[in-house]
Amino acid sequence: MIVATVPVEKWAEQVRAGDVRAVSRAITAIENHVPEAEALLRLLFPHTGQAYLTGVTGAPGTGKSTLVDRLAAFHRKNREEVGVIAVDPTSPYTGGAILGDRIRMQRHSGDSGTFIRSMATRGFLGGLARATAEVALLLDAAGKKHVLIETVGVGQDEVDIVRLADCVMVVLVPGLGDDIQSMKAGLMEIGDIFVLNKADREGADRLEQALLAMLSLVMPRDGWHPPVVRTVATENRGIGELAVAVGKFQKHFEMSEERKRKHVEHWKNRLLELLESRLMERALGGAAGEAWLAELAGEVANRKLDPFTAVNEILKRSGLEH
Ligand SMILES: Nc1nc2c(ncn2[C@@H]2O[C@H](COP(=O)(O)OP(=O)(O)OP(=O)(O)O)[C@@H](O)[C@H]2O)c(=O)[nH]1
Ligand SMILES: [Mg+2]
């Protein structure tokens, strides 16, 4: 696959200028884990750290995409640039597809200030969380002030993705079994803001009360009590309030030690991941390595070789151990 049609320095410049095609090509490169992506991100990294990352998570169909769409429009009204990363949405962003069918704009077509990209959850080299984190960096470098990451809050992958965000919105709706206890405990823990969407529906009051009761039991983190914001995303109701809540959260944690700790923790994990993949590459490198690994695994399975000797052999052959 050819991803780079221009030198990487030029490509980085184009990304920084917000060139949609350059950004799109870069995302493809990141997804496919091609070496150019790394060279590009290395050049772009000093220009990141400006974007505010908001994770939007919740059960399927709770209205995450609609909310993200409305929030994006809200920021655009303030002339702030928005990047959207939709991780495996079961209901994709519809509307005029631009630049290939995986980049879709909904009500933002023709608006170069909003960039929306869907990423499939499966088949990622090096993990979805890695790819999402790198795409977020890219959008940051491209000058997107707000990066909204939509993900269905289910698996470990999603939890890892959400951990990347500066602020996490958990979206709930009435009628999905109002018993909050049945909700994923994990979701309650990661929520900085709870969005009670579809507030036009029967049972909104009950859900809000149950949610507030539950939240009153949760210890505030650094003095932050997660608020509950009611929205009707389809009617654009409560979106301003939601943006205000995010702003408050951002202000609250701007200077906090917890935020710094979170960033250090994040980069520590990323460095470990990078190191792991580098070491794996060095140890096994390429298709021959894979074949050799399979061969050794066969021998271990047949009890011809013990796993410890097998690993030592790999290390020795790769020069990582003498
Ligand atoms: N009544 C009502 N319907 C809503 C509201 N928000 C979204 N919907 C509808 O709920 C359905 C699902 O909305 P999406 O925005 O696709 O939900 P999602 O959480 O992104 O869904 P997945 O990505 O599939 O998990 C759509 O038919 C929306 O029109 C709301 O506030 N009230
Ligand atoms: Mg969606």
Side-chain angles (χ1 to χ4, degrees), residues 59-66 89-91 150 152 197-198 200 232-234:
T62 46
K64 298 177 296 295
S65 297
T66 316
T90 46
S91 51
E150 175 190 342
V152 175
N197 191 40
K198 308 200 186 183
D200 54 324
V232 182
T234 39

Side-chain angles (χ1 to χ4, degrees), residues 20-67:
V20 178
R21 275 163 206 279
V23 172
S24 174
R25 259 202 336 266
I27 295 176
T28 305
I30 288 169
E31 285 178 336
N32 294 304
H33 220 176
V34 301
E36 286 97 327
E38 191 179 308
L40 183 70
L41 286 171
R42 207 182 295 149
L43 287 175
L44 291 173
F45 191 78
H47 307 287
T48 61
Q50 305 304 314
Y52 196 74
L53 271 54
T54 302
V56 180
T57 189
T62 46
K64 298 177 296 295
S65 297
T66 316
L67 274 166

Side-chain angles (χ1 to χ4, degrees), residues 183-261:
M183 248 188 62
K184 284 213 155 270
L187 276 188
M188 294 304 289
E189 278 157 30
I190 58 173
D192 299 312
I193 293 170
F194 288 85
V195 185
L196 199 168
N197 191 40
K198 308 200 186 183
D200 54 324
R201 282 206 183 158
E202 166 86 41
D205 289 335
R206 226 177 327 132
L207 176 61
E208 183 168 6
Q209 277 157 19
L211 197 50
L212 288 172
M214 175 124 181
L215 287 171
S216 70
L217 301 174
V218 178
M219 287 282 283
R221 256 186 303 123
D222 280 0
W224 177 258
H225 298 265
V228 177
V229 181
R230 282 188 179 225
T231 56
V232 182
T234 39
E235 291 166 26
N236 210 20
R237 273 160 53 196
I239 303 304
E241 288 82 348
L242 189 53
V244 167
V246 176
K248 273 194 190 147
F249 180 79
Q250 184 174 4
K251 245 205 162 89
H252 190 92
F253 279 97
E254 224 159 25
M255 297 300 174
S256 88
E257 284 303 313
E258 162 148 349
R259 180 149 192 254
K260 279 179 218 150
R261 258 201 312 275

